[in-house]
């Protein structure tokens, strides 16, 4: 029987934006015997990550997307209607300090990004949390 472990994804900063460090898995968030439970928890963890973005530059999470203008427009509309915030600079604007769970869902939808991976391990594998320390490689986690 397998176990499904949620890991934080690794990200590096390029002086313009965060990029996913493909294949780099970070801290262990949880372990599940059921893939469906792991998927549900992964979504919850992604939303919690977004709720902790208060004050960070939103653009850092979509700067390199091919559809930058479309994503920006969605944020402009959402921030105006949900937070009564008028964005002054298309290339630099911050997340509000407080983001509710419902607002995080919408932001997650707009960004179309994940901050966690589900990795399948054999049930008898013993995982050492120290083996997943991304700080040693100058990568960040959310």
């Amino acid at each position: 029987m397998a176990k499904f472990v949620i890991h934080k994804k690794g990200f590096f900063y390029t002086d313009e934006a965060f990029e996913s460090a493909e294949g780099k898995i970070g801290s262990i968030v949880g372990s599940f015997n059921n893939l469906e439970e792991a998927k549900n928890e992964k979504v919850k963890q992604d939303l919690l990550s977004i709720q902790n973005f208060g004050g960070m530059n939103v653009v850092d999470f979509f700067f390199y997307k091919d559809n930058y203008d479309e994503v920006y427009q969605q944020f402009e509309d959402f921030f105006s209607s949900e937070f009564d915030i008028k964005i002054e600079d298309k290339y630099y604007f911050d997340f509000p300090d407080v983001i509710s769970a419902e607002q995080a869902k919408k932001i997650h939808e707009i960004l179309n990004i994940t901050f966690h991976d589900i990795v399948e391990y054999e049930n008898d594998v013993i995982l050492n949390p120290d083996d997943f320390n991304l700080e040693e490689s100058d990568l960040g986690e959310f």
Side-chain angles (χ1 to χ4, degrees):
M1 181 174 198
K3 63 182 168 186
F4 303 93
V5 177
I6 300 172
H7 289 272
K8 289 185 176 277
K9 288 179 74 162
F11 287 84
F12 60 93
Y13 194 74
T14 66
D15 291 333
E16 286 139 353
F18 289 107
E19 284 282 320
S20 176
E22 296 299 324
K24 296 291 185 181
I25 53 177
S27 301
I28 297 171
V29 176
S31 180
F32 301 85
N33 293 324
N34 177 296
L35 180 58
E36 213 44 52
E37 288 176 8
K39 286 179 180 179
N40 290 336
E41 184 62 26
K42 178 181 170 293
V43 170
K44 288 179 189 175
Q45 292 299 319
D46 278 348
L47 297 179
L48 285 173
S49 292
I50 290 169
Q51 286 183 279
N52 290 321
F53 286 167
M56 293 181 73
N57 181 9
V58 180
V59 176
D60 285 346
F61 295 94
F62 71 97
F63 185 80
Y64 292 117
K65 287 196 174 209
D66 292 336
N67 62 340
Y68 182 98
D69 289 328
E70 179 184 326
V71 173
Y72 167 76
Q73 186 61 56
Q74 290 179 51
F75 271 114
E76 187 175 53
D77 296 343
F78 180 65
F79 276 30
S80 176
S81 67
E82 190 67 30
F83 300 108
D84 197 27
I85 294 174
K86 180 176 179 0
I87 298 171
E88 302 292 331
D89 183 344
K90 180 178 183 176
Y91 297 102
Y92 189 94
F93 59 98
D94 292 339
F95 286 103
D97 289 333
V98 178
I99 301 169
S100 72
E102 286 302 312
Q103 292 163 336
K105 284 181 188 176
K106 181 63 177 175
I107 292 168
H108 188 253
E109 177 184 309
I110 293 170
L111 284 176
N112 191 28
I113 191 172
T114 183
F115 301 98
H116 299 83
D117 287 318
I118 297 173
V119 179
E120 184 176 352
Y121 294 94
E122 291 299 320
N123 203 32
D124 59 348
V125 170
I126 298 172
L127 301 173
N128 179 359
D130 292 337
D131 293 340
F132 302 98
N133 182 355
L134 293 181
E135 290 179 16
E136 294 173 355
S137 61
D138 293 328
L139 296 176
E141 305 173 331
F142 297 103

